[in-house]
Amino acid sequence: MTNSSPTLKPLVLVVDDYDDAREMYAEYLEFSGFRVAQARNGQEALDQAFALTPDIILMDLSLPIIDGWEATRRLKNDARTRAIPVVALTGHAMTGQSDEAKGAGCDSFVTKPCLPDELVAEVRRILALQGGAQAR
C-alpha cells in the first residue's frame, strides 16, 4: 500500500550514491510536481522504503553497502514494499542487463546518463501502469 491519495503528490525515492546525479534528479522531479526522498546506498534505500512506502523507487544498481540488485530483491520479497515499482538506473548498459534487472524485480530499466525529462516521463508511465497517482 503506497501513500498516494488524491490530494497528495506521488512520492519518489531516488537512490544514487553519486550526489550530483541524485540531487539533479530530485530537483527535477520536485519541479515536475513530485515529492522526493533520497538515499545514498542500498541500506538507506531499504530504510527509507520501509519508513516512507514511496509510490515509486529510482534505484541505481551500483551502490555501496548493499547494491541496487540486492536492495531491489529485498524490497520485492517484503510484503510491505513488494508492490512499489522499482526503476533501475545504471550507467552500465550491457547486453542482457535489462533482463537481469527485471529478474531482480525491477519494473523498468533506464540507462544513465538520461535527461531528467526522460526520467520523469518514465516515472509517470510506470505510475500510470500501476494505476497510481500522477503529478498534475
Side-chain angles (χ1 to χ4, degrees):
M1 199 177 319
T2 60
N3 59 20
S4 282
S5 78
T7 58
L8 208 53
K9 297 174 185 174
L11 176 61
V12 181
L13 175 57
V14 179
V15 185
D16 198 317
D17 59 324
Y18 185 57
D19 292 341
D20 289 345
R22 186 182 67 250
E23 290 167 10
M24 176 193 58
Y25 292 139
E27 285 180 24
Y28 199 82
L29 285 158
E30 287 173 350
F31 171 79
S32 299
F34 295 93
R35 292 177 301 132
V36 178
Q38 298 181 43
R40 294 175 303 221
N41 60 59
Q43 184 60 57
E44 284 184 14
L46 293 171
D47 294 343
Q48 291 276 49
F50 294 136
L52 302 173
T53 56
D55 295 287
I56 190 167
I57 300 170
L58 304 179
M59 180 77 73
D60 184 14
L61 296 176
S62 300
L63 294 169
I65 303 176
I66 298 173
D67 68 28
W69 303 96
E70 180 60 23
T72 299
R73 278 190 284 273
R74 291 185 191 184
L75 290 167
K76 293 299 185 174
N77 285 320
D78 191 295
R80 297 169 291 176
T81 53
R82 179 175 296 132
I84 300 171
V86 176
V87 177
L89 297 175
T90 184
H92 310 289
M94 298 179 347
T95 303
Q97 197 163 37
S98 175
D99 291 337
E100 287 180 50
K102 290 191 181 191
C106 295
D107 298 272
S108 179
F109 182 88
V110 174
T111 302
K112 294 189 307 185
C114 70
L115 294 173
D117 59 340
E118 292 173 5
L119 189 59
V120 167
E122 184 63 6
V123 167
R124 287 192 172 124
R125 185 185 77 79
I126 295 295
L127 289 175
L129 288 174
Q130 297 288 321
Q134 294 186 44
R136 285 147 193 56

